[in-house]
Amino acid sequence: GRLEAVTQQMGYHPQYLDSFLKTQHYLMHMDGPLPFDCRHYIAIMAAARHQCRYLVNLHVLQFLRAGGDPQWLRGLEFIPPKLRNLNEINKILAHRPWLITKEHIEKLLKISEWSWSLAELVHAVVLLAHCHALASFVFGCGCEQDEGLGGRGAPKPLSLGNQCFCEATAGNSYSQELLRINRKRSLDSCMELDSLRERMQRIHVETEGRDEMRLLQQEREEGEGQGAEAGVQGGSSWLSPLADTDGEVTGATNLACYMQDPDFGYQDFARRDEDQTQVFRVQDYSWEDHGFSLVNRLYSDIGHLLDEKFRMVDGLQSSAMAKRQGCEPSVFKRGIWNYIHCMFGIRYDDYDYAEVNQLLERMLKVYIKTVTCYPEKTNSEMFDRFWKQFKHSEKVHVNLLILEARMQAELLYALQAITQYMI
C-alpha cells in the first residue's frame, strides 16, 4: 500500500503528475501496436542502458503480471529475434541519438519474418525515449534508493492501495493529497536568491554575440573534471527485489544480460577533431510542425498525450522561483531546456546561447549534464550541492525539465529518421 517513489516526487507538481500518469498508463496498458509483455520488456532494455535497477525491477514485475515468458528475463539471448533487433536503436537513442539514420529504421522494417511495422516501431521508440528520460528523473531525484525512503526529500508514504505508477491513471485524487502533504512537510530553505536574481536581470541589459561552440567547449573542459564529482552509484543503492502476485522474488540481479555493448556511452556532440559538426536545427524539423503529426498518425492519440506533457512542464509555475528570480520564469526554464538540447546537438536559431552561461551556475550545469547524459553517475552530494537555497520542489521541477527535454530530443532524432525513410 505504499505510494511509489516516482509518484511521490512528481507529486510536488500534481498537474504534471496527472499528465505523466495518463501518458504512462496509455503507453503500457491501453490499446496499441505492441503486446503488453513486449512493452514492459522494452522498458527493461531501456532502463538497463543506464543501470537503473529501480525501473528494471518495476517492469520485471509488470512483465510477469502481463503474462511474459520468465525465460526472457535470462537476457537478450532468450528473447525473439524481432525484439532483440531493437537493441541497436535502444543503445544509440540512450547515449548518442544524433547517430540514428534512416538506415537504422530501414533495417528494422525490412528483416523478412522479423520485420517491424511502422506503427510498432513508433510505439517502441516512444517507450524507449520515455524510459531513458525517466531513468534520468529516477537518478536525479534519488528514487533508486530503498523504496521505503521514496527518494530524496520525499513526503511520508501514503497508504493508497497496491498501485505503482506503471498502473496508475490520471485524475486520481491522491495528487492533491500529495500536494497537501508536501506543503505541510516542506523541506525547503528560505534563503534569498539575490545573486541569481542579479544575474538574470543582467541578461536584459547586456548583449552578447552568439557563442554556441564556446559553450560546448566549456562543457568539454568541465566534463574532464566531472569524474571525481559524479561518483558512480554503488551496487548497494538499488531497489530491493519485488515480489510478484504469487510471492516469488523477481529482482533484477544482472543488468548486463539486458544489453549489448555496455561500454557504448555518451560522448560530447561537438568534437575538437571534427572540422564541421552537423547540427539538428529545430527550424528544419520540430516537434510542433513535424514530430507531433507523424507520431499521432502512426500511434493514435499518443501525440496529444506527449504534447500535453511537454506543454505542462513548460507551464509549471514555482511560486518561489517566480518571485525571487527578478525576471520572467520562462527565460530561466528556456535556458535549461535549450542547454539540454544543445548537449544533444539540437539548436534554436532564435536563441542566444550566451544566456546559458549567465543563467546557470557551474554546479547546476554539472548536475544537469550528469543527470541528462549519464544519470547512473549522479550521487546525492551533487543533488544537495546545486542551489542549496532552492526548495526541494524546485529541484524536482528542474528534474522534470530534464526528463521532458531529453525525451523530446530523442524523439526528434528518431522521428526525423522515420520521416526520411518514408520519403
Side-chain angles (χ1 to χ4, degrees):
R2 188 161 45 215
L3 192 61
E4 192 273 329
V6 165
T7 310
Q8 289 188 40
Q9 294 297 315
M10 291 184 181
Y12 283 97
H13 303 280
Q15 288 182 316
Y16 175 86
L17 173 62
D18 286 343
S19 181
F20 173 85
L21 291 178
K22 185 163 56 177
T23 303
Q24 172 89 10
H25 184 75
Y26 188 85
L27 276 172
M28 293 296 179
H29 300 285
M30 299 297 287
D31 289 342
L34 293 176
F36 296 113
D37 58 342
C38 289
R39 302 182 196 189
H40 290 290
Y41 199 88
I42 290 171
I44 292 170
M45 293 171 63
R49 286 305 318 179
H50 286 304
Q51 305 170 37
C52 187
R53 293 183 181 274
Y54 179 92
L55 288 180
V56 169
N57 279 327
L58 283 175
H59 287 287
V60 163
L61 175 59
Q62 293 298 311
F63 170 79
L64 293 173
R65 285 180 174 175
D69 185 349
Q71 288 296 315
W72 290 16
L73 300 179
R74 297 176 63 184
L76 298 183
E77 296 179 0
F78 299 88
I79 65 176
K82 177 177 178 178
L83 199 55
R84 188 164 58 247
N85 290 337
L86 199 64
N87 178 72
E88 183 70 11
I89 197 171
N90 175 35
K91 176 184 74 173
I92 297 174
L93 262 184
H95 305 294
R96 305 174 205 172
W98 57 87
L99 297 181
I100 289 182
T101 66
K102 65 178 181 180
E103 284 73 28
H104 291 106
I105 304 302
E106 182 177 16
K107 184 177 180 181
L108 288 170
L109 296 176
K110 293 186 176 181
I111 309 180
S112 62
E113 58 179 315
W114 304 115
S115 63
W116 291 70
S117 70
L118 268 173
E120 289 174 332
L121 184 56
V122 167
H123 193 172
V125 162
V126 175
L127 278 172
L128 291 172
H130 174 80
C131 292
H132 294 155
L134 187 55
S136 286
F137 183 86
V138 165
F139 280 106
C141 288
C143 300
E144 82 285 355
Q145 297 176 359
D146 184 280
E147 64 172 335
L149 300 179
R152 303 181 183 107
K156 183 178 180 180
L158 302 178
S159 179
L160 296 174
N162 186 20
Q163 183 182 53
C164 81
F165 76 93
C166 296
E167 301 170 309
T169 58
N172 290 315
S173 60
Y174 60 72
S175 62
Q176 294 301 321
E177 179 68 7
L178 275 170
L179 179 60
R180 183 187 68 79
I181 289 179
N182 291 343
R183 286 172 175 169
K184 182 179 179 181
R185 293 174 56 86
S186 175
L187 302 175
D188 302 330
S189 167
C190 297
M191 295 177 61
E192 293 298 328
L193 306 181
D194 294 336
S195 61
L196 176 61
R197 183 175 63 249
E198 292 172 2
R199 284 197 306 275
M200 299 188 77
Q201 288 173 334
R202 284 200 301 269
I203 290 176
H204 298 282
V205 296
E206 296 178 0
T207 57
E208 294 187 24
R210 293 192 173 186
D211 206 356
E212 298 171 293
M213 298 310 295
R214 180 167 63 83
L215 171 64
L216 290 170
Q217 290 175 357
Q218 178 180 344
E219 286 311 305
R220 287 196 300 270
E221 294 169 359
E222 291 177 355
E224 295 173 0
Q226 281 185 12
E229 296 186 67
V232 179
Q233 287 286 340
S236 61
S237 179
W238 57 284
L239 186 66
S240 301
L242 301 175
D244 64 19
T245 53
D246 298 323
E248 180 182 353
V249 173
T250 58
T253 57
N254 180 18
L255 301 190
C257 70
Y258 297 123
M259 58 180 172
Q260 298 172 352
D261 195 6
D263 294 330
F264 186 91
Y266 175 82
Q267 289 184 354
D268 284 336
F269 174 77
R271 306 292 296 274
R272 287 191 176 95
D273 56 352
E274 293 179 358
D275 295 330
Q276 185 175 5
T277 304
Q278 182 65 38
V279 299
F280 186 112
R281 299 205 173 273
V282 175
Q283 284 69 20
D284 299 329
Y285 194 96
S286 68
W287 166 257
E288 293 80 6
D289 296 332
H290 307 90
F292 169 80
S293 58
L294 175 63
V295 73
N296 217 46
R297 184 168 77 251
L298 294 173
Y299 181 15
S300 178
D301 293 332
I302 192 61
H304 292 292
L305 292 169
L306 293 173
D307 193 62
E308 176 188 296
K309 197 155 59 79
F310 292 146
R311 295 178 185 275
M312 184 65 66
V313 76
D314 182 59
L316 284 179
Q317 296 294 330
S318 178
S319 58
M321 290 174 70
K323 291 178 181 178
R324 291 181 284 182
Q325 283 174 341
C327 80
E328 291 296 324
S330 59
V331 175
F332 181 76
K333 288 186 291 186
R334 189 183 184 192
I336 293 178
W337 186 280
N338 289 0
Y339 174 54
I340 294 167
H341 278 195
C342 181
M343 290 186 288
F344 287 114
I346 298 174
R347 301 288 195 280
Y348 295 79
D349 287 345
D350 61 348
Y351 186 71
D352 182 358
Y353 285 83
E355 289 189 1
V356 172
N357 286 327
Q358 295 193 46
L359 283 171
L360 309 183
E361 297 175 349
R362 182 181 181 277
M363 282 310 303
L364 175 59
K365 289 167 67 178
V366 169
Y367 176 81
I368 291 176
K369 183 170 185 178
T370 305
V371 174
T372 302
C373 302
Y374 17 76
E376 63 277 6
K377 295 183 179 180
T378 310
N379 59 32
S380 58
E381 182 182 1
M382 295 177 65
F383 182 87
D384 294 335
R385 286 180 63 186
F386 93 82
W387 286 356
K388 292 183 178 181
Q389 65 270 50
F390 268 41
K391 294 183 176 183
H392 181 84
S393 61
E394 293 167 336
K395 293 189 176 186
V396 173
H397 190 171
V398 171
N399 277 282
L400 292 177
L401 286 168
I402 293 173
L403 186 161
E404 296 299 340
R406 176 180 178 177
M407 181 174 185
Q408 188 179 102
E410 291 189 22
L411 286 178
L412 282 175
Y413 278 109
L415 295 176
Q416 184 192 49
I418 292 174
T419 299
Q420 291 172 343
Y421 166 80
M422 294 173 65
I423 294 175

